[in-house]
Amino acid sequence: MIQVNIRVYRADKHPDQCLRYVEGHRKVLEAYGVTQVTSANIDWMHEPFSYIISVESAEDHRPLGGARIQLCSGTVPLPIETAINDLDTNIYKIVREKGLHRTGEFCGAWNSREVAGYGIGSIILGRTCMAVIDKLNMGSLFAFASPASLRNCQRVGFRVLRSLGVNGIFYYPKEDLVATALIIDDPVEVAGATEENREKIRAFRENPIQQRLERGPKGEIEVSYDLHIDSDDIIKSPVELP
């Protein structure tokens, strides 16, 4: 059985591990013929407002997947802003409004082909993100989902942001691909999540260090979670919750 470790860390404190995450993401994108994607920009590595969810092999610590939670800092734009600003400038207004109550984006999610089909790149990372943003005191969170990940994003509480694009849909990152703009406005309650996922998110919040057998379409995978974030690593963004 495949065994993996999932943990969360502040990006600027672990530059070498960030680069491994970035390189793994790049290779996956290139395998699908995608060479230009805004979430692959690495400016976020140089300021303390991004957190990496890392998936590594328990055997030899090879990077097998991951995702990023990027807080709105006022200096580095969210990937969704850069991705669609030429297509719908309303994204700036919406991010600015949500930024009054601390917002960010769930982005850069990927998994290697080795673990494809076990749910890592979609539902597992999504649940992990929802557990973590509670600690980060988020008021909302954006996402920009491919068709393959849209359904699972909705299962953990995201809803389609229909005020953007064509009912939330854009042709991105190239004309023959589509992506959907998403948001979650209640990251504490996650009322839009399925009951099963709400229970699992709540369990992670109560006990961020645990082991689970997770089941995906290809079968079971053993996951060791460490979702603890030190209070010193939770940096206040320029715009705070009231």
Side-chain angles (χ1 to χ4, degrees):
M1 179 182 295
I2 296 176
Q3 298 176 314
V4 302
N5 298 329
I6 297 183
R7 69 186 189 92
V8 181
Y9 57 86
R10 207 177 87 189
D12 67 322
K13 289 193 172 184
H14 300 273
D16 291 342
Q17 293 179 49
C18 281
L19 290 174
R20 293 174 64 202
Y21 156 81
V22 169
E23 179 64 11
H25 189 200
R26 182 188 65 80
K27 287 180 178 179
V28 168
L29 290 172
E30 289 182 349
Y32 288 95
V34 177
T35 57
Q36 297 293 328
V37 60
T38 55
S39 62
N41 185 293
I42 62 171
D43 289 346
W44 48 267
M45 286 181 55
H46 307 296
E47 60 172 26
F49 301 113
S50 291
Y51 299 82
I52 299 295
I53 304 171
S54 167
V55 183
E56 295 184 342
S57 164
E59 180 181 3
D60 58 12
H61 305 292
R62 285 176 296 109
L64 298 175
R68 186 169 85 252
I69 301 169
Q70 181 175 324
L71 278 61
C72 184
S73 67
T75 54
V76 177
L78 298 180
I80 193 172
E81 293 181 272
T82 306
I84 69 175
N85 72 87
D86 288 339
L87 304 173
D88 192 336
T89 57
N90 285 326
I91 184 61
Y92 291 126
K93 177 184 177 182
I94 295 172
V95 170
R96 186 165 58 250
E97 290 173 350
K98 296 299 181 182
L100 295 175
H101 301 282
R102 195 166 167 103
T103 193
E105 183 175 350
F106 176 55
C107 53
W110 66 276
N111 63 264
S112 69
R113 289 184 174 181
E114 181 179 347
V115 293
Y118 290 98
I120 286 177
S122 53
I123 195 69
I124 291 177
L125 286 174
R127 283 196 297 256
T128 303
C129 172
M130 290 301 109
V132 169
I133 61 174
D134 178 54
K135 299 180 179 68
L136 299 178
N137 302 315
M138 305 295 291
S140 61
L141 195 72
F142 293 88
F144 202 32
S146 68
S149 61
L150 174 60
R151 186 178 180 189
N152 281 326
C153 283
Q154 292 174 306
R155 285 175 170 172
V156 298
F158 283 100
R159 65 174 175 84
V160 177
L161 195 51
R162 299 190 183 278
S163 58
L164 291 173
V166 180
N167 286 322
I169 297 173
F170 294 85
Y171 287 101
Y172 179 85
K174 51 185 183 177
E175 288 187 359
D176 58 341
L177 296 175
V178 297
T180 303
L182 304 172
I183 193 169
I184 181 166
D185 294 299
D186 62 341
V188 175
E189 296 83 5
V190 288
T194 64
E195 182 177 353
E196 176 188 1
N197 282 301
R198 275 198 308 274
E199 290 178 356
K200 290 185 175 181
I201 292 165
R202 188 179 303 115
F204 282 130
R205 290 175 177 177
E206 293 174 353
N207 181 17
I209 301 175
Q210 56 180 282
Q211 288 189 322
R212 284 181 179 266
L213 281 179
E214 304 283 12
R215 175 173 290 276
K218 286 182 64 174
E220 290 185 334
I221 186 170
E222 186 175 318
V223 184
S224 177
Y225 292 92
D226 183 352
L227 309 184
H228 175 74
I229 302 177
D230 289 335
S231 58
D232 290 344
D233 286 344
I234 301 176
I235 301 299
K236 295 180 179 181
S237 62
V239 180
E240 278 299 294
L241 282 167

